Amino acid sequence: MGTTTPPRTLAESLRARGDASLAGLLRARPDLLSPVPNDITQLATRAGTRASVVRALEHLDRFALQTAQALAVAPDPAPYAALLALLTGDGQDDGEGRDDTGAAITAALPGALATLREQALVWGEDEALHLVRTARELLAPSPQHPSPTGLGPTVSEATAGMSPGRLQEILAAAGLPATHDPVSAVTSLTELFTDRTRMAALLDTAPVEALAVLDRLVWGPPYGEVTANPAPPVRWLRDRGLLLPVSTRTVVLPREAALHLRAGRAHRVPEPVAPAVTAVAERDPQAVDRAAAGQAFTALSTIEELLNLWNNGGPAILRAGGLSVRELKRTANALDVSEPIAAFWVELAYAAGLLAPDGETDERYAPTPAYDDWLELPAQDRWTRLVTSWLAATRTAGLVGGQDAKGRALSALGPNLDRSAAPEVRRRVLALFAALPAGTAPDPQSLLTRLRWERPLRTPAPGASAASGEASDLRSRIALWTVNEAESLGVTGRGALSSQARALLDEGPREAAALLAPLIPEPLGHVLLQADLTAVAPGPLERPLAEMLSVLADVESKGGATVYRFTPGSVRRALDAGQAAADLHAFLAAHSRTPVPQPLSYLIDDVARRHGHLRIGAASAYVRCDDEAVLNEILADKRSAALRLRRLAPTVLAAQTDPASLLEGLREMGYAPAAESAEGDVLITRAHTRRTPPRTPPAPVPEGPPVPDATLLSAAVRAVRAGDTAARAVRTGTGGAEDGPGAAGGALPRTTPAETLATVQAAAMTGSAVWIGYVNADGAASQRVIAPVKVEGGFVTAYDHTADEVRTYPLHRITGVAELADEADETGETGEADETGGTDEGRAQGS
């Protein structure tokens, strides 16, 4: 094919591209690589399949999509000038009163057309632009699927099957000369509707009510229902072909008439320029970084608090998977946040691999061993790990509390929360943040408007059902969730992107951690004890101090400073963990900047004096105490009736309940019992003992095939080129065997072993390429174009053009060999081969 010859098919257009252009196509549409096409024709066929075209259209921005929609209603092929006119209009007044966007459209159209060409949705020169057939079918109007442009079928399409008599009546009413040829009649009517002068004169005679009907139909939908005896205005329009029948009760405004009423525009509001993201506030970048760092530290503390709650074994897993509503509420109350925010923290810990099911028979959630490793990292590195996991996660916490397609509730940590679009939307939202000057907080609604422009096919279509609209507008919902989650994580501060987040997106975790480190407060090794049995931590505490204090006291309030309260129950908890009263006194004295208050010392001594006075073991359960009066008091207390106690000895009571329930019951009665082992030793309750086996974080669910890297793209392009060379190679017979190998299209060449050996030896001597048939060890037959290099020992070593590498073939597996035609013949035959070889592609989208 000469370089000046316009392509006749998509395959020819792709074949004329350079390697960089083919790589760009495969990068933009990675589904075309699964698996790698054998040749250009197969690539073109695959690019025209419905699933692939739909996926490509979904990734177009609004103006590129509007350009494709305009081509779908234009003649095929359409010149560039006609396409531009459909987008800009013919300059006549359409009554819309819009500002003229013609200059912006003229400037943006080459870029949109280049995008469509790169993605193989449009092919051909500017004088003859072709939209691939599948895309035309998806975007063209029909009664079942109205065109996004609001245009109806052409006069030719709408009058197909109309009787010649009816056509004559329309011509007569429109003042056109009669003709007995239906084709001429349709042509006359089309010329009338496309002639602005004559069409304007016709509409000047129309009743006002008829013009009102046209106004309702002009921007779509173009279909309307009529009765058997329509009103006079409708009858006037129908008689003159301005409304053409689709069925007995449905009429349509033909495309040519609608374009006249629209002043030639395919779209009511062309959007050639992406809407700008507007700012709502300009803040000091340093203040933004400090606010984000503070929120980042709060996020780390929240994750630690969550997993500390579940250290001894978290909530049970529902039979269908996930966390129950009751457990989510309990977790939200413990974290002092709302349920949606609690679901976000739970899902984030799960996505980061810090939380997982324990795999036991009574399966529960618990921290993983990776959580202990994570705790040992510096705060800034822990934050980058969390944010990196959040960016890549496809699990979408915002869906928790909603319903799936079958009406089942979606629970935290449960199934059906993966949304493959989430990572791409999160990164795109943050990229829009990053495009603004440092310290600028964008308007969330302008973010949504921009995202809808970038992916218009993923927003609700007019007239779509509520369910389909909710599903298709998922990107907008994820974007709003991203804005809120980024603030909670410290990615943004006061509504603007922080410097550490910019570094994480542009450079990597190490650079982000380096920027965050100076902003994270250093952990403190002291608290302030107060006389009201509280301790104030004026900042983050060192880990050993925080862990011990969380056992010895209860958190009363959090914020810039954390307030802990000491209670008899919290002191008993520390004693249960193996601490003695002297240990607690020494701990508080060592870590308090203020003297230990006397009430706190009295509380510790009083609880320690009573702790372990009662001993509980398993009989089913028993209580023993050296003081008989205490046991008498328990038996006399009406609250002990539920424990069903009876005396076995002066110092021993037996209970018909398990030791844990007996322990809890006596504690509720105000006693401080201690559990003991079978040997009579006090059982020490150790915290932080429950861990799952090693677990890997949940794998994100990708959105379609992954984008190939440069190495894979280069190899794929070479393979497609080599396969195309082999497929299009013109063969000539060798004068042997059963038939001319080149004559049987697709048949393996057949030659005798002697002829095969002689031909490949001659090719090795002359350095020419030959065509062979080859059967591998599995019996699979293939055709290959090879350039023999060496023939010896029953093997031929050759450069395989099909595989684009040097290979060695056993001669006994070669079915036959044929020489390739010379260059002159090949040039003449290649065009014919393109026509026949492009037949499959032609069937897919037309030549």
Side-chain angles (χ1 to χ4, degrees):
M1 184 175 62
T3 57
T4 59
T5 303
R8 295 166 297 175
T9 64
L10 177 58
E12 288 187 4
S13 176
L14 295 179
R15 192 169 289 122
R17 289 189 180 193
D19 288 352
S21 180
L22 278 183
L25 167 62
L26 297 177
R27 185 183 299 109
R29 298 176 64 177
D31 58 293
L32 301 180
L33 275 177
S34 301
V36 176
N38 291 333
D39 52 38
I40 294 291
T41 299
Q42 190 176 88
L43 175 64
T45 302
R46 193 176 297 172
T49 58
R50 182 181 181 88
S52 182
V53 170
V54 167
R55 190 177 293 113
L57 291 174
E58 285 182 344
H59 285 79
L60 295 178
D61 61 51
R62 188 176 299 279
F63 188 62
L65 183 62
Q66 287 182 331
T67 302
Q69 291 166 349
L71 279 173
V73 297
D76 186 30
Y80 183 89
L83 173 62
L84 180 62
L86 281 171
L87 292 168
T88 59
D90 55 15
Q92 303 294 323
D93 182 19
D94 60 355
E96 287 295 302
R98 300 183 306 112
D99 291 334
D100 185 20
T101 58
I105 293 173
T106 303
L109 183 57
L113 202 55
T115 299
L116 296 174
R117 278 186 169 127
E118 179 187 5
Q119 300 198 25
L121 295 171
V122 169
W123 59 275
E125 304 295 333
D126 282 354
E127 294 76 17
L129 296 170
H130 298 265
L131 182 68
V132 294
R133 179 178 299 177
T134 308
R136 181 175 291 274
E137 292 171 353
L138 288 168
L139 300 176
S142 70
Q144 295 77 22
H145 304 286
S147 168
T149 61
L151 291 169
T154 64
V155 172
S156 176
E157 294 167 345
T159 57
M162 183 177 290
S163 66
R166 177 64 185 133
L167 283 173
Q168 296 304 315
E169 293 175 359
I170 293 176
L171 293 179
L176 297 174
T179 176
H180 297 290
D181 181 12
V183 176
S184 300
V186 171
T187 302
S188 298
L189 195 59
T190 302
E191 291 174 349
L192 169 64
F193 292 162
T194 55
D195 187 322
R196 293 204 63 86
T197 303
R198 291 195 294 158
M199 186 65 171
L202 176 63
L203 292 176
D204 286 342
T205 64
V208 176
E209 296 82 358
L211 296 177
V213 172
L214 293 178
D215 287 341
R216 289 197 297 270
L217 298 177
V218 63
W219 290 109
Y223 296 91
E225 291 190 359
V226 295
T227 61
N229 185 23
V234 174
R235 189 181 305 115
W236 190 94
L237 295 170
R238 189 186 62 180
D239 292 344
R240 287 154 182 79
L242 292 171
L243 292 180
L244 294 173
V246 176
S247 65
T248 55
R249 299 180 59 86
T250 306
V251 293
V252 65
L253 176 65
R255 184 181 307 170
E256 293 86 351
L259 285 173
H260 171 84
L261 296 170
R262 296 178 175 200
R265 295 202 317 276
H267 296 89
R268 191 169 198 166
V269 183
E271 298 183 57
V273 180
V277 177
T278 59
V280 294
E282 299 286 342
R283 311 191 191 280
D284 179 15
Q286 294 183 351
V288 168
D289 292 346
R290 289 193 298 268
Q295 194 58 45
F297 186 82
T298 301
L300 299 178
S301 302
T302 303
I303 292 292
E304 290 184 42
E305 184 179 357
L306 167 67
L307 296 179
N308 285 337
L309 286 174
W310 294 358
N311 252 325
N312 294 323
I317 299 176
L318 294 173
R319 182 179 302 176
L323 204 62
S324 68
V325 175
R326 179 183 301 174
E327 292 293 350
L328 182 60
K329 288 182 178 178
R330 186 175 299 169
T331 302
N333 291 333
L335 298 178
D336 194 22
V337 296
S338 64
E339 292 175 36
I341 295 178
F344 167 66
W345 294 122
V346 169
E347 285 288 345
L348 179 61
Y350 179 61
L354 309 179
L355 174 69
D358 60 12
E360 301 293 336
T361 303
D362 179 21
E363 198 169 29
R364 293 178 175 273
Y365 291 106
T368 64
Y371 171 59
D372 297 316
D373 299 333
W374 180 77
L375 285 176
E376 298 301 321
L377 296 173
Q380 59 270 20
D381 293 330
R382 282 184 280 143
W383 179 79
T384 58
R385 285 272 299 274
L386 284 182
V387 176
T388 302
S389 300
W390 171 68
L391 286 173
T394 55
R395 293 186 61 84
T396 310
L399 297 172
V400 173
Q403 293 183 336
D404 62 10
K406 297 182 179 179
R408 296 172 298 196
L410 296 171
S411 58
L413 300 178
N416 302 323
L417 287 182
D418 283 291
R419 297 296 182 270
S420 56
E424 187 264 335
V425 174
R426 290 192 192 107
R427 286 194 173 273
R428 186 56 193 150
V429 168
L430 295 183
L432 293 175
F433 270 86
L436 298 173
T440 302
D443 176 19
Q445 288 303 317
S446 69
L447 284 174
L448 295 185
T449 303
R450 177 63 171 267
L451 288 175
R452 291 188 181 115
W453 185 90
E454 292 179 351
R455 294 288 187 272
L457 276 188
R458 297 197 174 186
T459 55
S465 66
S468 64
E470 181 180 0
S472 59
D473 200 28
L474 180 64
R475 286 176 59 88
S476 296
R477 298 164 63 203
I478 293 176
L480 289 177
W481 294 331
T482 297
V483 172
N484 296 329
E485 292 167 2
E487 192 75 18
S488 299
L489 270 174
V491 174
T492 58
R494 302 180 67 186
L497 191 68
S498 65
S499 299
Q500 51 267 27
R502 289 177 186 269
L504 181 66
L505 294 172
D506 298 336
E507 302 175 54
R510 180 178 301 178
E511 291 75 11
L515 289 177
L516 179 61
L519 303 175
I520 294 288
E522 289 293 329
L524 304 175
H526 66 272
V527 294
L528 305 175
L529 295 178
Q530 302 185 107
D532 60 350
L533 297 181
T534 60
V536 177
L541 299 177
E542 295 176 350
R543 189 167 309 285
L545 173 58
E547 290 178 351
M548 182 59 192
L549 203 58
S550 66
V551 176
L552 181 57
D554 298 323
V555 176
E556 187 169 79
S557 65
K558 293 178 290 187
T562 303
V563 178
Y564 295 87
R565 177 164 294 280
F566 299 94
T567 65
S570 67
V571 174
R572 176 192 52 75
R573 189 168 62 232
L575 297 173
D576 286 344
Q579 301 291 327
D583 298 330
L584 299 182
H585 286 302
F587 169 79
L588 293 174
H591 293 91
S592 176
R593 286 289 178 88
T594 58
V596 178
Q598 193 176 54
L600 180 55
S601 299
Y602 286 168
L603 174 65
I604 293 173
D605 292 338
D606 184 57
V607 174
R609 184 171 54 252
R610 293 184 294 113
H611 183 263
H613 195 47
L614 296 176
R615 299 294 184 87
I616 294 177
S620 288
Y622 64 84
V623 183
R624 70 180 181 88
C625 181
D626 295 335
D627 190 345
E628 296 182 27
V630 174
L631 298 183
N632 291 334
E633 182 182 342
I634 292 174
L635 287 173
D637 195 323
K638 294 181 179 180
R639 291 176 295 175
S640 67
L643 303 177
R644 302 175 68 184
L645 299 169
R646 63 187 180 87
R647 189 184 294 272
L648 295 182
T651 58
V652 180
L653 298 178
Q656 297 184 27
T657 183
D658 62 275
S661 300
L662 179 57
L663 197 68
E664 187 64 30
L666 291 178
R667 285 173 178 168
E668 290 178 355
M669 293 170 62
Y671 297 96
E676 69 178 15
S677 66
E679 291 77 20
D681 299 324
V682 175
L683 293 176
I684 296 175
T685 304
R686 300 270 184 198
H688 319 301
T689 56
R690 187 81 172 254
R691 288 293 181 269
T692 70
R695 296 279 192 257
T696 57
V701 178
E703 184 180 21
V707 177
D709 57 22
T711 302
L712 177 58
L713 285 174
S714 177
V717 170
R718 288 198 307 271
V720 172
R721 291 285 193 202
D724 199 55
T725 300
R728 298 174 63 241
V730 183
R731 296 95 185 185
T732 180
T734 60
E738 304 164 6
D739 52 14
L748 293 178
R750 299 287 181 180
T751 56
T752 65
E755 291 170 338
T756 297
L757 179 60
T759 305
V760 295
Q761 285 177 334
M765 294 177 61
T766 60
S768 58
V770 293
W771 175 52
I772 67 169
Y774 181 74
V775 179
N776 64 14
D778 296 327
S782 60
Q783 304 177 27
R784 299 176 179 275
V785 175
I786 65 172
V789 177
K790 181 175 61 176
V791 183
E792 64 179 10
F795 292 88
V796 55
T797 302
Y799 176 76
D800 189 331
H801 288 275
T802 308
D804 196 21
E805 63 182 7
V806 176
R807 290 184 175 181
T808 300
Y809 298 100
L811 284 170
H812 70 275
R813 292 194 177 277
I814 296 178
T815 64
V817 61
E819 297 177 349
L820 299 183
D822 58 34
E823 190 67 25
D825 291 340
E826 184 177 347
T827 303
E829 300 236 6
T830 299
E832 183 179 350
D834 269 344
E835 285 295 322
T836 57
T839 301
D840 290 340
E841 187 277 332
R843 283 195 296 267
Q845 61 97 4
S847 61

